[in-house]
Amino acid sequence: MDNPVILFDGVCNLCQGSVQFVLKRDKKAWFRFASLQSPYGEKIQHQFGIAPGKMNSFILYQEGKIFTHSEGALKMLSQLPGWGWAKVFLWVPHFIRDGIYNLISKNRYRWFGKKEECWLPRAEWKGVFLWEA
C-alpha cells in the first residue's frame, strides 16, 4: 500500500477527533486509517515488535516505517493541505516535543473522555478505513 496509514486509539475521544480533523482536510483521501485495536492495527504493531496495548495513542505507518509520538503526529499533520508549516516543529528537540505529547497522551481519557467501543466512521469515510489484517 502506498498511502500512509494512521493507527489510532479507537476508544479515545481525542484520537477520534483528530481522525475527523484529518478526514475533513484530506480532500484527496491520501491517508488511510485503522484503530490500534483492529486486526490491521494489531498486525502492524506485531510487525514492529509493539505489544498490543503498549502503544498509547498514535502510529503513522508510511513507506514501510512507523513514526510514533510527536514525530508521527507532525509528519502526518505536515502532509495535509495548508499544514506543511507544521514540520518546522520537528526542529524542536525530541525530548521537548515528546514530553508535551506524552503529557497529553497520558491524560487524554481524563481530559477528553473514552468510549466503551471503537468509533465507527460515517458512511462516506468507510473506504479509507482498514479493518482486516
Side-chain angles (χ1 to χ4, degrees), residues 1-127:
M1 167 177 298
D2 294 334
N3 299 72
V5 179
I6 296 170
L7 300 169
F8 64 97
D9 181 347
V11 297
C12 167
N13 288 338
L14 174 63
C15 302
Q16 293 168 21
S18 298
V19 167
Q20 291 175 36
F21 175 89
V22 173
L23 284 165
K24 290 175 184 174
R25 287 154 183 81
D26 184 19
K27 302 296 183 198
K28 294 185 179 180
W30 170 241
F31 289 101
R32 299 295 180 261
F33 304 86
S35 74
L36 290 164
Q37 297 89 348
S38 71
Y40 185 90
E42 289 179 351
K43 175 185 141 194
I44 296 299
Q45 291 173 83
H46 178 74
Q47 180 180 336
F48 288 92
I50 300 169
K54 292 295 182 187
M55 180 49 58
N56 61 1
S57 66
F58 181 89
I59 297 172
L60 175 64
Y61 176 60
Q62 187 168 14
E63 298 176 354
K65 300 177 196 161
I66 60 169
F67 304 94
T68 62
H69 300 87
S70 64
E71 182 180 25
L74 290 169
K75 283 183 177 284
M76 176 275 303
L77 190 60
S78 68
Q79 294 178 61
L80 289 174
W83 286 83
W85 57 267
K87 65 178 97 171
V88 73
F89 289 107
L90 290 169
W91 289 94
V92 173
H94 202 271
F95 73 93
I96 294 172
R97 286 186 283 122
D98 280 350
I100 295 167
Y101 182 94
N102 290 335
L103 175 68
I104 294 168
S105 178
K106 181 180 175 183
N107 293 291
R108 70 188 188 278
Y109 294 148
R110 186 170 359 145
W111 294 345
F112 300 97
K114 177 180 177 181
K115 299 221 183 295
E116 294 299 317
E117 297 177 358
C118 285
W119 166 75
L120 295 174
R122 296 189 307 202
E124 68 265 26
W125 291 338
K126 286 197 178 193

